Amino acid sequence: MPEGDTAWLVSSRLHEALVDQTISRCDLRVPSAAQASLIGATVVGVSPRGKHILLRARFPTPRTGPGAISPTKNWTLHSHLRMDGEWHLYRDGSKWRGGPGHWIRAVVGSPTWTAVGYRLGMLDLLPTAAEDRVVGHLGPDPLGEHYDAIAARRNLITDPQRPVGEALLDQRNVAGFGTNFVSEACFVAGFSPLTPVADGVAEQVLSVAERMIRANRGRAIRVTTGRARPGEAAWVHGRRTCLRCGSVLAHAEVGIPPTQRSIAWCPRCQD
C-alpha cells in the first residue's frame, strides 16, 4: 500500500528521469486540467510531501491555467497515489504496460522518458506558489529535509486521550504514515493502536515509526522486521497470525467514520 516511503521512491525516480528535461508531451485526463498543458516547460524537480508527489515545472515566460490568479512561470503537477495509483516510466518508443488506457490519468514526457500515471487518486495542476492548497494541511514529514520532530510530537499529544493509531494516521499531525507503518510501529513499541497517546506513548511509537519509514526509503519492497524473506517482512500488517508468538491477530478500527481504517494488532504481544 502506498505510504510516505512509496511517494519518496516514486518521486526520486521521476526526478532522476525528468529533471532539467523540457516537456514535449503532456496529457492530463482529469476534468480540472483537461485543457491545460505543460508542453514547453522544464522540469525543475519532483519532490514528495508525505504521501503526495509534487512535479514542478517552469515555463520560459508566464502562462495562465487552472487555478491561476495571475500569469506565472512556475507550475506544479500534484498527484496522490491513494490505494491503487502508480507512476510508470518508459523509454521513448517503448510499449506501455501499466494497464488499460482508461486507467491513465496523466502523461508527461520528454524526448527521452515518458511518465504515465495510472489510477491516480488525485491529480491537480496549480501554480507552485499555491501548493499549500493541496499540501498545506500536512504535518511534518519524517522523510522531509526539514523534518520538525518536536512539532510532530506536539501535534500527536494535542488530545491526550486520542488513540495512538488514530493520531498517527492523521496526516495533519505527521505526514506519510499509513496502516502498514502504524500497525508495525505500535507492535514494536508494545502498544495496542487503541492506547491513548498520553504518558509518552505517542513519543515511543513515533520514534519507532520514524526509524521504520527511513529504513524503507528507496526500497521497492517494504520490510519492518529486518527479514526480507517471503512471509517474514511484517510482524502483524497483512497477516492472520503474529510473526513473533503465533497468536491470531485482532483488528482495531481507528478513526472517525467514514474514514476509519482497520489496523491489525497482537492481543498477546501488545498491551
Side-chain angles (χ1 to χ4, degrees):
M1 184 180 299
E3 299 193 17
D5 58 332
T6 306
W8 190 96
L9 179 60
V10 171
S11 296
S12 65
R13 289 174 173 172
L14 292 174
H15 179 92
E16 183 177 355
L18 298 175
V19 71
D20 296 330
Q21 299 291 306
T22 299
I23 296 173
S24 56
R25 180 176 185 176
C26 183
D27 182 7
L28 305 179
R29 303 180 184 180
V30 293
S32 63
Q35 302 301 314
S37 175
L38 289 171
I39 291 176
T42 299
V43 177
V44 297
V46 185
S47 301
R49 181 75 172 86
K51 302 179 186 181
H52 300 250
I53 297 168
L54 305 170
L55 186 154
R56 300 183 179 100
R58 180 180 177 87
F59 285 101
T61 58
R63 305 287 182 92
T64 57
I69 298 174
S70 60
T72 180
K73 295 181 180 180
N74 301 301
W75 291 86
T76 295
L77 184 64
H78 160 256
S79 60
H80 192 299
L81 303 179
R82 290 288 174 93
M83 295 289 288
D84 302 313
E86 297 178 319
W87 277 101
H88 289 207
L89 280 166
Y90 301 100
R91 284 284 188 182
D92 186 45
S94 64
K95 186 176 181 180
W96 299 359
R97 301 180 182 275
H102 66 268
W103 285 2
I104 297 174
R105 297 293 177 267
V107 179
V108 180
S110 73
T112 306
W113 288 98
T114 297
V116 183
Y118 294 89
R119 297 180 296 185
L120 301 174
M122 298 174 64
L123 187 70
D124 306 280
L125 182 66
L126 68 164
T128 298
E131 284 181 358
D132 274 359
R133 294 179 189 172
V134 290
V135 295
H137 65 288
L138 298 175
D141 181 353
L143 297 182
E145 184 179 356
H146 304 293
Y147 176 56
D148 189 339
I150 295 176
R153 284 158 172 76
R154 184 170 60 244
N155 292 345
L156 288 171
I157 61 173
T158 300
D159 178 358
Q161 295 307 308
R162 193 177 191 186
V164 64
E166 180 181 317
L168 276 170
L169 286 173
D170 189 336
Q171 302 298 295
R172 297 170 298 178
N173 290 333
V174 57
F177 297 127
T179 54
N180 190 316
F181 282 118
V182 172
S183 60
E184 292 292 287
C186 284
F187 177 86
V188 171
F191 297 104
S192 158
L194 299 179
T195 307
V197 296
D199 300 325
V201 171
E203 290 86 345
Q204 292 180 62
V205 178
L206 178 58
S207 179
V208 174
E210 290 167 344
R211 294 198 302 272
M212 284 182 171
I213 199 169
R214 289 169 184 157
N216 281 279
R217 178 176 54 192
R219 275 181 166 169
I221 299 176
R222 186 177 297 135
V223 177
T224 54
T225 62
R227 293 178 275 178
R229 291 187 295 273
E232 297 184 9
W235 295 106
V236 293
H237 182 77
R239 298 180 57 85
R240 187 182 68 85
T241 58
C242 174
L243 181 64
R244 176 187 290 164
C245 73
S247 297
V248 175
L249 298 175
H251 290 81
E253 291 288 334
V254 298
I256 301 172
T259 60
Q260 73 270 31
R261 305 290 296 278
S262 178
I263 296 183
W265 61 287
C266 177
R268 181 175 180 182
C269 296
Q270 295 169 257
D271 293 336

